[in-house]
Amino acid sequence: MAIELSWEIPMPEDMEGLEALLNRVAEACFAAEGITSAGFCVQIVDDEAIRALNRNMRNIDSATDVLSFPTVNYPAGKTARDCPKRMAREFDPGLGCINLGDCVINLNRARQQADEYGHSLKRELSYLTAHSAFHLMGYDHMNEEEKRQMRQMEEKALGAIGITRQEDGIGFDRLFELACEAMQMSYSPYSHFKVGACILAEDGRTFKGCNFENASYGATICAERCAAGNAIINGARRFKAIAVVGSTAVAWPCGICRQVLREFSDTSLPVIVGEFGKGYTVKTLGELLPEGLSPEDLGVDVNA
Ligand code: THU
């Protein structure tokens, strides 16, 4: 067994098979690093417990998502594969392998992040376990280069067992469902036409928006632009899909929203449009906005 899982809070119902899954995750991380005969402990806790731990151990008073406590003291710039002797010193007869340390996961945050990314809790727990495994093997993300390397290793390991954080499986159905949820928040006392939108960003996160009207009618903001603002303030600038739903008719995006979407996506953006309770159709942004003005037209490289 590569991990030993313990629940410090009651185990939710749908968690059967989690230990086997996290074992596979840990094994994949070790294989990506090129080490064998290692293991670590995974503890699942809640907001309160991780906050106390973070405060006591790191002097940071916040309920983070995951904390890692490595047993091996890796020299700067070195990771597990470079340190066989230091690793061997941590052989734990109880575990029957090298004990890399402890991974503590906050279930509350894991749930939140799973919702944010539109994937399952098990998938998020897999991701957090892999992230921690690499910390326990000497990786860190103090600067951009370290962060890139760590991310690359995580992707290599999780990719090898078919898990990616960028959940392609979110699908149009789920995105449309999230738009329907957003629609419930609409502020539309003038038109009584509720609109909800949900953007899937390139990094896999989803951002909701709803229309909000104004006594000065022209000051109204559409659901799509509300969602776009929500994405931008959260650092997501490339969009992979958008779903839009209207309460009593199909909510075709208005011209301004089509143009706003073009800023953060190319013309292949799937636009999933429908009416609440009646399903949806899918168009590309290029179909809805032929010849739209793009950042490239003004010589701006949005990736720079
Ligand atoms: N609206 C949207 O939110 N998105 C669209 O794609 C079309 C129109 C809103 C604006 C206004 O609050 C109401 O629908 C009626 O135009």
Side-chain angles (χ1 to χ4, degrees), residues 188 191 193 195 211-213 220-224 244 251-254 257:
S188 39
S191 75
F193 183 47
V195 183
N211 58 332
F212 52 101
E213 300 185 340
T220 291
I221 302 291
C222 296
E224 299 90 319
V244 194
W252 290 106
C254 76
C257 288

Side-chain angles (χ1 to χ4, degrees), residues 164-177:
T164 48
R165 186 158 196 168
Q166 193 165 315
E167 166 72 270
D168 291 317
I170 176 161
F172 294 165
D173 283 0
R174 177 68 185 143
L175 204 61
F176 191 70
E177 218 174 83

